[in-house]
Structures are given as structure tokens and as C-alpha cells.
Amino acid sequence: MIIRGDEPIVIIRRSQDGTDDYGNPTYDKTEILIRDGLFSLGSSSEPTDVERDALDASLTLYLPEGTLIQDGDEFEIRNTVWVKDGSAQTWPSPVGLSTPVVVNVRRRVG
């Protein structure tokens, strides 16, 4: 199932912006708005840990051709932050459309 609509996909990118008084790196976050992306619903599962009530969920993102994805990028969709699950890949279109960047993302609740 592919969902497309007015919901934006935001890439949250962390980058080093300096050092603190002790020489440790400090970081800033930049938000990159993607308006022409798609996402499809993935799977969900419940871990079998009896001491935890959790839910794992996944989505697949289809971002515009040439979208740069870096290690550590997070993605905000519907006010929920998702983490990258594996490498971003280019998906060749079988019907001659642009070549989107495909990213699997996941989250755990609980």
C-alpha cells in the first residue's frame, strides 16, 4: 500500500558544530523538508520479552531522485521520529520514471 498526500517527510540530520569547554564535540540538528516523497506501510511485531510491552514498526520511504541520505539521519513522519534501518538504495523504475532513493526505517514503542 502506497500512501501519498500532504504529509511531509523531514530528514533530521545531526552535524558537529564545534566543541565545548572540555574539547568534546557539540552537535546541532538540521531539518530537511521533503515534499515529494512517498512512504509505504511496513510490518509491525511485538518482541517476546515478557518484561516489556513493546511494538516494533517499519516503513519504506521513497524519496526524490538525488536525495542525499547520511549515516545517523533520522526521519520525522506524522510527528513520529524513525531511524534508518540499513543503507539507502536507488530503485530503478521499470516504467522509465525518475529513480527514487529507497530507505527502510524503523521505530520501537515501549
Side-chain angles (χ1 to χ4, degrees), residues 22-57:
Y22 302 101
N24 300 314
T26 57
Y27 296 92
D28 190 23
K29 289 191 177 185
T30 302
E31 294 186 354
I32 303 163
L33 177 62
I34 304 293
R35 293 187 184 275
D36 296 327
L38 303 169
F39 62 92
S40 63
L41 302 175
S43 64
S44 63
S45 63
E46 297 177 6
T48 58
D49 186 351
V50 296
E51 296 179 13
R52 186 173 188 174
D53 185 19
L55 176 69
D56 292 332

Side-chain angles (χ1 to χ4, degrees), residues 70-86:
Q70 297 180 352
D71 289 340
D73 282 352
E74 297 178 330
F75 302 86
E76 183 177 339
I77 302 159
R78 294 183 179 176
N79 297 318
T80 301
V81 176
W82 300 75
V83 297
K84 187 166 62 82
D85 188 15

Side-chain angles (χ1 to χ4, degrees), residues 42-45 55-59 82 105-109:
S43 64
S44 63
S45 63
L55 176 69
D56 292 332
S58 67
L59 296 175
W82 300 75
V105 296
R106 63 181 165 78
R107 70 181 175 107
R108 174 169 278 183
V109 177

